[in-house]
mmCIF file with all atom_site columns, all heavy atoms in Angstrom:
data_model
loop_
_atom_site.group_PDB
_atom_site.id
_atom_site.type_symbol
_atom_site.label_atom_id
_atom_site.label_alt_id
_atom_site.label_comp_id
_atom_site.label_asym_id
_atom_site.label_entity_id
_atom_site.label_seq_id
_atom_site.pdbx_PDB_ins_code
_atom_site.Cartn_x
_atom_site.Cartn_y
_atom_site.Cartn_z
_atom_site.occupancy
_atom_site.B_iso_or_equiv
_atom_site.pdbx_formal_charge
_atom_site.auth_seq_id
_atom_site.auth_comp_id
_atom_site.auth_asym_id
_atom_site.auth_atom_id
_atom_site.pdbx_PDB_model_num
ATOM 1  N N   . VAL A 1 56  ? -77.230 -181.919 137.369 1.00 0.00 ? 56  VAL A N   1
ATOM 2  C CA  . VAL A 1 56  ? -76.623 -181.741 138.694 1.00 0.00 ? 56  VAL A CA  1
ATOM 3  C C   . VAL A 1 56  ? -75.514 -180.709 138.591 1.00 0.00 ? 56  VAL A C   1
ATOM 4  O O   . VAL A 1 56  ? -74.523 -180.923 137.888 1.00 0.00 ? 56  VAL A O   1
ATOM 5  C CB  . VAL A 1 56  ? -76.063 -183.066 139.242 1.00 0.00 ? 56  VAL A CB  1
ATOM 6  C CG1 . VAL A 1 56  ? -75.388 -182.852 140.588 1.00 0.00 ? 56  VAL A CG1 1
ATOM 7  C CG2 . VAL A 1 56  ? -77.179 -184.106 139.368 1.00 0.00 ? 56  VAL A CG2 1
ATOM 8  N N   . TRP A 1 77  ? -59.189 -172.458 139.876 1.00 0.00 ? 77  TRP A N   1
ATOM 9  C CA  . TRP A 1 77  ? -58.108 -171.636 139.339 1.00 0.00 ? 77  TRP A CA  1
ATOM 10 C C   . TRP A 1 77  ? -56.803 -172.425 139.212 1.00 0.00 ? 77  TRP A C   1
ATOM 11 O O   . TRP A 1 77  ? -55.785 -171.872 138.814 1.00 0.00 ? 77  TRP A O   1
ATOM 12 C CB  . TRP A 1 77  ? -57.893 -170.382 140.184 1.00 0.00 ? 77  TRP A CB  1
ATOM 13 C CG  . TRP A 1 77  ? -57.477 -170.629 141.613 1.00 0.00 ? 77  TRP A CG  1
ATOM 14 C CD1 . TRP A 1 77  ? -56.206 -170.874 142.077 1.00 0.00 ? 77  TRP A CD1 1
ATOM 15 C CD2 . TRP A 1 77  ? -58.317 -170.635 142.767 1.00 0.00 ? 77  TRP A CD2 1
ATOM 16 N NE1 . TRP A 1 77  ? -56.205 -171.047 143.437 1.00 0.00 ? 77  TRP A NE1 1
ATOM 17 C CE2 . TRP A 1 77  ? -57.492 -170.890 143.891 1.00 0.00 ? 77  TRP A CE2 1
ATOM 18 C CE3 . TRP A 1 77  ? -59.692 -170.443 142.974 1.00 0.00 ? 77  TRP A CE3 1
ATOM 19 C CZ2 . TRP A 1 77  ? -57.999 -170.967 145.203 1.00 0.00 ? 77  TRP A CZ2 1
ATOM 20 C CZ3 . TRP A 1 77  ? -60.182 -170.508 144.268 1.00 0.00 ? 77  TRP A CZ3 1
ATOM 21 C CH2 . TRP A 1 77  ? -59.343 -170.776 145.351 1.00 0.00 ? 77  TRP A CH2 1
ATOM 22 N N   . ILE A 1 101 ? -71.488 -177.015 136.190 1.00 0.00 ? 101 ILE A N   1
ATOM 23 C CA  . ILE A 1 101 ? -70.717 -176.309 137.204 1.00 0.00 ? 101 ILE A CA  1
ATOM 24 C C   . ILE A 1 101 ? -71.017 -174.818 137.117 1.00 0.00 ? 101 ILE A C   1
ATOM 25 O O   . ILE A 1 101 ? -71.134 -174.253 136.030 1.00 0.00 ? 101 ILE A O   1
ATOM 26 C CB  . ILE A 1 101 ? -69.197 -176.575 137.045 1.00 0.00 ? 101 ILE A CB  1
ATOM 27 C CG1 . ILE A 1 101 ? -68.411 -175.956 138.203 1.00 0.00 ? 101 ILE A CG1 1
ATOM 28 C CG2 . ILE A 1 101 ? -68.678 -176.100 135.689 1.00 0.00 ? 101 ILE A CG2 1
ATOM 29 C CD1 . ILE A 1 101 ? -66.963 -176.442 138.289 1.00 0.00 ? 101 ILE A CD1 1
ATOM 30 N N   . GLN A 1 126 ? -57.981 -162.743 161.379 1.00 0.00 ? 126 GLN A N   1
ATOM 31 C CA  . GLN A 1 126 ? -58.786 -163.972 161.310 1.00 0.00 ? 126 GLN A CA  1
ATOM 32 C C   . GLN A 1 126 ? -58.579 -164.730 160.008 1.00 0.00 ? 126 GLN A C   1
ATOM 33 O O   . GLN A 1 126 ? -59.232 -165.733 159.762 1.00 0.00 ? 126 GLN A O   1
ATOM 34 C CB  . GLN A 1 126 ? -60.275 -163.627 161.447 1.00 0.00 ? 126 GLN A CB  1
ATOM 35 C CG  . GLN A 1 126 ? -60.682 -163.045 162.792 1.00 0.00 ? 126 GLN A CG  1
ATOM 36 C CD  . GLN A 1 126 ? -62.120 -162.543 162.772 1.00 0.00 ? 126 GLN A CD  1
ATOM 37 O OE1 . GLN A 1 126 ? -62.537 -161.822 161.859 1.00 0.00 ? 126 GLN A OE1 1
ATOM 38 N NE2 . GLN A 1 126 ? -62.881 -162.917 163.789 1.00 0.00 ? 126 GLN A NE2 1
ATOM 39 N N   . ALA A 1 181 ? -76.112 -163.425 140.116 1.00 0.00 ? 181 ALA A N   1
ATOM 40 C CA  . ALA A 1 181 ? -77.170 -163.117 141.083 1.00 0.00 ? 181 ALA A CA  1
ATOM 41 C C   . ALA A 1 181 ? -76.598 -162.883 142.476 1.00 0.00 ? 181 ALA A C   1
ATOM 42 O O   . ALA A 1 181 ? -75.389 -162.955 142.705 1.00 0.00 ? 181 ALA A O   1
ATOM 43 C CB  . ALA A 1 181 ? -78.187 -164.261 141.116 1.00 0.00 ? 181 ALA A CB  1
ATOM 44 N N   . SER A 1 191 ? -76.391 -154.106 139.361 1.00 0.00 ? 191 SER A N   1
ATOM 45 C CA  . SER A 1 191 ? -77.297 -153.356 140.231 1.00 0.00 ? 191 SER A CA  1
ATOM 46 C C   . SER A 1 191 ? -76.839 -151.922 140.490 1.00 0.00 ? 191 SER A C   1
ATOM 47 O O   . SER A 1 191 ? -75.706 -151.703 140.934 1.00 0.00 ? 191 SER A O   1
ATOM 48 C CB  . SER A 1 191 ? -77.440 -154.077 141.571 1.00 0.00 ? 191 SER A CB  1
ATOM 49 O OG  . SER A 1 191 ? -78.194 -153.287 142.462 1.00 0.00 ? 191 SER A OG  1
ATOM 50 N N   . ILE A 1 216 ? -69.240 -163.397 129.406 1.00 0.00 ? 216 ILE A N   1
ATOM 51 C CA  . ILE A 1 216 ? -69.874 -164.378 128.521 1.00 0.00 ? 216 ILE A CA  1
ATOM 52 C C   . ILE A 1 216 ? -69.011 -164.614 127.283 1.00 0.00 ? 216 ILE A C   1
ATOM 53 O O   . ILE A 1 216 ? -68.790 -165.773 126.881 1.00 0.00 ? 216 ILE A O   1
ATOM 54 C CB  . ILE A 1 216 ? -71.287 -163.910 128.131 1.00 0.00 ? 216 ILE A CB  1
ATOM 55 C CG1 . ILE A 1 216 ? -72.227 -164.005 129.333 1.00 0.00 ? 216 ILE A CG1 1
ATOM 56 C CG2 . ILE A 1 216 ? -71.837 -164.733 126.962 1.00 0.00 ? 216 ILE A CG2 1
ATOM 57 C CD1 . ILE A 1 216 ? -73.560 -163.320 129.130 1.00 0.00 ? 216 ILE A CD1 1
ATOM 58 N N   . ALA A 1 316 ? -95.866 -177.615 133.035 1.00 0.00 ? 316 ALA A N   1
ATOM 59 C CA  . ALA A 1 316 ? -97.031 -177.809 132.171 1.00 0.00 ? 316 ALA A CA  1
ATOM 60 C C   . ALA A 1 316 ? -97.622 -176.482 131.706 1.00 0.00 ? 316 ALA A C   1
ATOM 61 O O   . ALA A 1 316 ? -98.099 -176.367 130.566 1.00 0.00 ? 316 ALA A O   1
ATOM 62 C CB  . ALA A 1 316 ? -98.086 -178.630 132.903 1.00 0.00 ? 316 ALA A CB  1
ATOM 63 N N   . ILE A 1 358 ? -90.652 -199.904 146.876 1.00 0.00 ? 358 ILE A N   1
ATOM 64 C CA  . ILE A 1 358 ? -91.864 -200.630 147.302 1.00 0.00 ? 358 ILE A CA  1
ATOM 65 C C   . ILE A 1 358 ? -92.733 -199.810 148.245 1.00 0.00 ? 358 ILE A C   1
ATOM 66 O O   . ILE A 1 358 ? -93.834 -200.234 148.593 1.00 0.00 ? 358 ILE A O   1
ATOM 67 C CB  . ILE A 1 358 ? -91.492 -201.956 148.000 1.00 0.00 ? 358 ILE A CB  1
ATOM 68 C CG1 . ILE A 1 358 ? -90.652 -201.704 149.247 1.00 0.00 ? 358 ILE A CG1 1
ATOM 69 C CG2 . ILE A 1 358 ? -90.778 -202.904 147.036 1.00 0.00 ? 358 ILE A CG2 1
ATOM 70 C CD1 . ILE A 1 358 ? -90.410 -202.922 150.095 1.00 0.00 ? 358 ILE A CD1 1
#
Side-chain angles (χ1 to χ4, degrees):
V56 178
W77 62 83
I101 186 167
Q126 295 172 312
S191 174
I216 289 169
I358 61 172

